[in-house]
Amino acid sequence: MDTSTHITIGIGLAGLAHIDPVVASNPELAQAILFGTIIGSNAPDFDYAIKLLKGNGMYTEHHRGASHSIPALFIWTFFVSGVIFFCSRDVSFMHLLLWTFIAVVLHVGFDIMNAYGTQAGRPITKKWLSLNFIALFDPFIIIVHLIGFTLWLTGFPPGIVFFYGYILLAIYLINRYFVSIQNRKFFLNKTKKSGIFTIIPTIWLKKWNFVFETESTYQVGSIIGKNINWIHHFEKYNPNCEIIKASLTDKNVQHFLANSKHVHALYFPTSSGSEVRWIDLRFRHRDHYPYMAVVKLDQAKNILASYTGWVHHSRKLNEKLLPSDKRAMQL
């Protein structure tokens, strides 16, 4: 999920904690839990430090990796709780530990529910776990929390408010999960096609995107109600193409391919040589695929520049692909 959702859930959990009379009767403990749930709800994403220290490519490969693993659940919980407890020792450490742990676990749990997924099974398995039934940003989750915050501020008991709010969210999530399964069965039964099918959630319950991969093609589309809309058709790239093979030696491409799925490569000539784009077909925004790795090569197929990450505008991409000395001149 996105950062705003994790923060929102962290505050909601702090409200839910008031259902415990010990928390409700101790303002200092309630405040400590508030810090614990907000920070704990975001702690697994502290792997953002990789981007700051090692660059965007390394971050692309390792984000939602070890930081979301089974050992990390306990490491983040004890670290966050310990720091908060050190600053306010007159509170119940066990209560603080429990609610911080819930926040950390829910962060990883919600990340498993969307299309990007996590390596939450490490060290048992490095497989990316993704259930594909919630969008990276879900307005319904935010709306339920905003209603809860409003009731909390107007004097309603937050424990009761968020108890019922989270029951509603649980029903919503369970419903979404079964709708995703129904749409998967609907597609396979109607098309009678054999291949790899991945369903991708949108913010709408009745609209789901998909990628269908065969040995030679990728087909991208959407399921709206009981209608299957085919949007894009790609013939798979030639793995023996010299330009594409040259791009595979780039570190950013290697980072990108480490945790991407349904990846298509395309290339086109430029004034200096050629440009190769590796795109993850799961993440389509209208007719654009913003999650990609891009490599610029010269006429001799030497790498001039590369970038991996989310690219929503061509101008921004051109800036990221500038050599560092020219980029500095523009600042």
Side-chain angles (χ1 to χ4, degrees):
M1 307 301 286
D2 70 319
T3 302
S4 64
T5 302
H6 289 310
I7 293 173
T8 301
I9 292 173
I11 300 172
L13 286 175
L16 179 63
H18 284 75
I19 203 166
D20 183 343
V22 175
V23 178
S25 62
N26 188 333
E28 188 176 358
L29 175 59
Q31 185 178 44
I33 289 175
L34 174 63
F35 285 120
T37 53
I38 292 176
I39 298 172
S41 285
N42 289 273
D45 283 347
F46 290 170
D47 60 6
Y48 188 80
I50 297 174
K51 183 174 183 177
L52 301 177
L53 298 173
K54 297 291 186 177
N56 201 59
M58 189 72 74
Y59 174 70
T60 298
E61 177 176 351
H62 295 286
H63 177 48
R64 295 192 180 185
S67 66
H68 289 58
S69 65
I70 295 171
L73 298 178
F74 300 96
I75 293 171
W76 290 125
T77 298
F78 279 97
F79 175 74
V80 172
S81 300
V83 171
I84 296 172
F85 183 71
F86 180 80
C87 298
S88 53
R89 296 186 181 182
D90 292 332
V91 302
S92 168
F93 182 68
M94 293 308 297
H95 281 82
L96 175 60
L97 193 72
L98 171 64
W99 287 100
T100 302
F101 180 69
I102 292 172
V104 174
V105 170
L106 281 182
H107 175 115
V108 176
F110 273 100
D111 281 355
I112 291 174
M113 296 176 195
N114 60 51
Y116 196 94
T118 78
Q119 287 182 305
R122 293 178 64 172
I124 299 171
T125 176
K126 288 189 176 181
K127 181 180 178 180
W128 283 83
L129 306 177
S130 176
L131 295 177
N132 296 338
F133 67 90
I134 299 179
L136 291 173
F137 174 80
D138 190 305
F140 186 78
I141 295 174
I142 298 296
I143 290 170
V144 169
H145 280 87
L146 290 178
I147 293 172
F149 298 153
T150 302
L151 293 174
W152 186 358
L153 290 173
T154 54
F156 285 83
I160 299 299
V161 167
F162 284 99
F163 175 76
Y164 287 109
Y166 283 141
I167 288 178
L168 177 62
L169 281 180
I171 294 171
Y172 170 72
L173 295 176
I174 292 170
N175 183 49
R176 258 196 169 274
Y177 174 69
F178 283 107
V179 170
S180 71
I181 292 176
Q182 290 170 0
N183 276 288
R184 178 182 179 83
K185 290 180 178 178
F186 166 73
F187 177 90
L188 296 175
N189 290 335
K190 186 168 184 177
T191 61
K192 305 297 183 183
K193 291 176 176 285
S194 59
I196 302 172
F197 175 77
T198 299
I199 192 166
I200 300 107
T202 72
I203 63 173
W204 309 108
L205 189 58
K206 292 189 176 182
K207 180 180 179 181
W208 299 72
N209 294 328
F210 67 82
V211 181
F212 185 73
E213 179 180 349
T214 67
E215 290 185 1
S216 59
T217 66
Y218 294 108
Q219 297 175 72
V220 180
S222 61
I223 301 172
I224 303 176
K226 293 299 181 181
N227 296 313
I228 299 175
N229 301 317
W230 301 93
I231 296 173
H232 292 145
H233 177 99
F234 301 98
E235 296 291 333
K236 284 190 174 179
Y237 63 88
N238 179 4
N240 296 316
C241 172
E242 292 300 323
I243 295 176
I244 289 178
K245 287 171 67 176
S247 74
L248 282 169
T249 63
D250 180 75
K251 289 294 184 182
N252 277 323
V253 172
Q254 293 169 14
H255 291 316
F256 178 78
L257 294 177
N259 66 356
S260 296
K261 185 179 180 181
H262 301 304
V263 179
H264 181 52
L266 50 90
Y267 68 93
F268 49 88
T270 65
S271 58
S272 58
S274 56
E275 180 175 305
V276 182
R277 295 191 180 189
W278 295 84
I279 55 177
D280 191 323
L281 298 176
R282 294 175 298 169
F283 303 104
R284 177 175 59 85
H285 179 65
R286 295 174 183 163
D287 290 331
H288 178 55
Y289 298 87
Y291 188 50
M292 65 178 73
V294 186
V295 184
K296 274 192 171 183
L297 304 105
D298 62 16
Q299 298 289 350
K301 301 182 184 64
N302 297 310
I303 296 171
L304 300 174
S306 67
Y307 175 79
T308 184
W310 296 87
V311 179
H312 294 278
H313 302 287
S314 296
R315 181 180 62 83
K316 292 292 184 181
L317 174 59
N318 292 333
E319 291 175 1
K320 294 177 187 298
L321 288 172
L322 282 174
S324 58
D325 55 341
K326 291 185 178 180
R327 192 182 305 129
M329 291 173 62
Q330 285 193 351
L331 299 177

